[in-house]
Coordinates of all heavy atoms in Angstrom, one line a residue:
V998 N -19.4 30.0 99.1 CA -18.9 30.2 97.8 C -18.8 29.1 96.8 O -18.4 29.3 95.7 CB -17.6 31.0 97.9 CG1 -17.8 32.4 98.6 CG2 -16.5 30.1 98.6
Q999 N -19.1 27.9 97.3 CA -19.3 26.8 96.4 C -20.7 26.4 96.2 O -21.5 26.4 97.1 CB -18.4 25.6 96.9 CG -16.9 25.9 96.9 CD -16.1 24.6 97.2 OE1 -16.6 23.5 97.3 NE2 -14.8 24.9 97.6
G1000 N -21.1 26.0 95.0 CA -22.4 25.6 94.7 C -23.4 26.7 94.5 O -24.5 26.6 94.5
V1001 N -22.8 28.0 94.3 CA -23.6 29.2 94.2 C -23.1 30.0 92.9 O -23.4 31.1 92.8 CB -23.5 30.1 95.4 CG1 -24.2 29.4 96.6 CG2 -22.0 30.5 95.7
Y1002 N -22.5 29.3 91.9 CA -22.1 29.8 90.7 C -21.0 31.0 90.9 O -20.8 31.8 90.0 CB -23.3 30.4 89.9 CG -24.3 29.4 89.6 CD1 -25.5 29.4 90.3 CD2 -24.1 28.5 88.6 CE1 -26.5 28.5 90.1 CE2 -25.0 27.5 88.4 CZ -26.2 27.5 89.1 OH -27.2 26.5 88.9
F1003 N -20.2 30.8 92.0 CA -19.1 31.7 92.2 C -18.1 31.6 91.1 O -17.7 32.6 90.5 CB -18.5 31.5 93.5 CG -17.6 32.7 93.9 CD1 -18.1 33.7 94.8 CD2 -16.3 32.9 93.5 CE1 -17.3 34.7 95.2 CE2 -15.6 34.0 93.9 CZ -16.1 34.9 94.7
R1004 N -17.6 30.4 90.7 CA -16.6 30.3 89.8 C -17.0 30.7 88.4 O -16.3 31.5 87.7 CB -16.1 28.8 89.6 CG -15.3 28.3 90.8 CD -15.0 26.9 90.7 NE -16.3 26.1 90.6 CZ -16.3 24.9 90.2 NH1 -15.3 24.2 89.8 NH2 -17.5 24.2 90.2
A1005 N -18.3 30.4 88.0 CA -18.7 30.8 86.7 C -18.9 32.3 86.6 O -18.6 32.9 85.6 CB -20.1 30.1 86.3
S1006 N -19.4 32.9 87.6 CA -19.7 34.3 87.7 C -18.3 35.1 87.7 O -18.2 36.1 87.1 CB -20.5 34.7 88.9 OG -21.7 34.1 88.8
C1007 N -17.3 34.5 88.4 CA -16.0 35.1 88.5 C -15.4 35.1 87.1 O -14.7 36.1 86.7 CB -15.2 34.4 89.5 SG -13.5 35.0 89.8
E1008 N -15.5 33.9 86.4 CA -14.9 33.8 85.1 C -15.6 34.8 84.1 O -14.8 35.5 83.4 CB -15.1 32.3 84.6 CG -14.5 32.1 83.3 CD -14.6 30.6 82.8 OE1 -14.6 29.8 83.7 OE2 -14.8 30.4 81.6
D1009 N -16.9 35.0 84.2 CA -17.6 35.9 83.4 C -17.1 37.4 83.7 O -16.8 38.2 82.8 CB -19.1 35.9 83.6 CG -19.8 34.7 83.0 OD1 -19.1 34.0 82.2 OD2 -20.9 34.4 83.3
M1010 N -17.0 37.8 84.9 CA -16.5 39.1 85.3 C -15.2 39.3 84.9 O -14.8 40.4 84.3 CB -16.7 39.3 86.8 CG -16.2 40.6 87.3 SD -17.2 42.0 86.6 CE -18.7 41.8 87.4
A1011 N -14.2 38.3 85.1 CA -12.8 38.5 84.7 C -12.7 38.7 83.2 O -12.0 39.6 82.7 CB -12.1 37.3 85.1
R1012 N -13.5 38.0 82.4 CA -13.4 38.1 81.0 C -13.9 39.5 80.5 O -13.4 40.1 79.7 CB -14.2 37.0 80.3 CG -13.4 35.7 80.4 CD -14.1 34.5 79.7 NE -13.2 33.3 79.7 CZ -13.6 32.2 79.3 NH1 -14.8 32.0 78.8 NH2 -12.8 31.1 79.3
R1013 N -15.0 39.9 81.2 CA -15.5 41.3 80.9 C -14.4 42.3 81.2 O -14.3 43.4 80.4 CB -16.7 41.6 81.6 CG -18.1 41.1 81.0 CD -19.2 41.6 81.7 NE -19.7 40.4 82.5 CZ -20.4 40.6 83.6 NH1 -20.8 41.8 84.0 NH2 -20.8 39.5 84.3
L1014 N -13.7 42.1 82.2 CA -12.7 43.1 82.6 C -11.3 43.0 81.9 O -10.4 43.7 82.1 CB -12.4 43.0 84.1 CG -13.5 43.4 85.0 CD1 -13.3 43.0 86.5 CD2 -13.8 44.9 85.0
G1015 N -11.2 41.9 81.1 CA -10.0 41.6 80.4 C -8.8 41.1 81.3 O -7.7 41.3 81.1
V1016 N -9.2 40.4 82.4 CA -8.3 39.8 83.3 C -8.0 38.4 82.9 O -8.9 37.6 82.6 CB -8.9 39.9 84.7 CG1 -8.0 39.2 85.7 CG2 -9.0 41.4 85.2
A1017 N -6.7 37.9 83.0 CA -6.4 36.6 82.8 C -6.2 35.9 84.1 O -6.1 36.6 85.2 CB -5.1 36.6 82.0
G1018 N -6.2 34.5 84.1 CA -6.0 33.9 85.3 C -6.8 32.5 85.4 O -7.2 32.0 84.3
W1019 N -7.2 32.1 86.6 CA -7.9 30.9 86.8 C -8.6 31.0 88.2 O -8.3 31.8 89.1 CB -7.1 29.7 86.7 CG -5.9 29.7 87.6 CD1 -4.5 30.1 87.3 CD2 -5.7 29.3 89.1 NE1 -3.7 30.0 88.4 CE2 -4.4 29.5 89.4 CE3 -6.7 28.9 90.0 CZ2 -4.0 29.3 90.8 CZ3 -6.3 28.7 91.3 CH2 -4.9 28.8 91.6
V1020 N -9.7 30.2 88.3 CA -10.4 30.0 89.6 C -10.8 28.5 89.7 O -11.0 27.8 88.8 CB -11.7 30.9 89.5 CG1 -12.6 30.4 88.4 CG2 -12.5 30.9 90.8
R1021 N -10.7 28.1 91.0 CA -11.1 26.7 91.4 C -11.6 26.7 92.8 O -11.4 27.5 93.6 CB -9.8 25.8 91.2 CG -8.8 26.1 92.3 CD -7.6 25.2 92.1 NE -6.5 25.5 93.0 CZ -5.3 25.0 93.0 NH1 -5.0 24.2 92.1 NH2 -4.5 25.4 93.9
N1022 N -12.4 25.6 93.0 CA -12.9 25.2 94.3 C -11.7 24.6 95.1 O -10.9 23.8 94.5 CB -14.1 24.3 94.2 CG -15.4 25.0 93.9 OD1 -15.5 26.1 94.0 ND2 -16.4 24.1 93.5
R1023 N -11.7 24.8 96.4 CA -10.7 24.2 97.2 C -11.5 23.1 98.1 O -12.6 23.2 98.3 CB -10.0 25.2 98.2 CG -9.0 26.1 97.4 CD -8.6 27.3 98.3 NE -8.3 26.9 99.6 CZ -7.2 27.2 100.3 NH1 -6.2 27.7 99.6 NH2 -7.1 26.9 101.5
D1024 N -10.7 22.1 98.6 CA -11.3 21.1 99.4 C -11.8 21.6 100.7 O -12.8 21.0 101.3 CB -10.3 20.0 99.6 CG -9.9 19.2 98.4 OD1 -10.7 19.2 97.5 OD2 -8.9 18.5 98.4
D1025 N -11.3 22.7 101.2 CA -11.9 23.3 102.4 C -13.1 24.2 102.3 O -13.5 24.8 103.3 CB -10.7 24.1 103.1 CG -10.3 25.3 102.3 OD1 -10.9 25.6 101.2 OD2 -9.3 26.0 102.8
G1026 N -13.6 24.2 101.1 CA -15.0 25.0 100.9 C -14.7 26.3 100.4 O -15.6 27.1 100.0
A1027 N -13.5 26.8 100.3 CA -13.2 28.1 99.8 C -13.0 28.1 98.3 O -13.0 27.0 97.6 CB -11.9 28.7 100.4

Side-chain angles (χ1 to χ4, degrees):
V998 292
Q999 290 189 16
V1001 293
Y1002 303 103
F1003 195 99
R1004 289 176 301 164
S1006 299
C1007 183
E1008 186 175 326
D1009 288 346
M1010 180 60 71
R1012 288 182 173 175
R1013 275 188 260 153
L1014 294 168
V1016 171
W1019 52 265
V1020 61
R1021 69 179 175 193
N1022 283 343
R1023 289 169 39 124
D1024 290 340
D1025 64 2

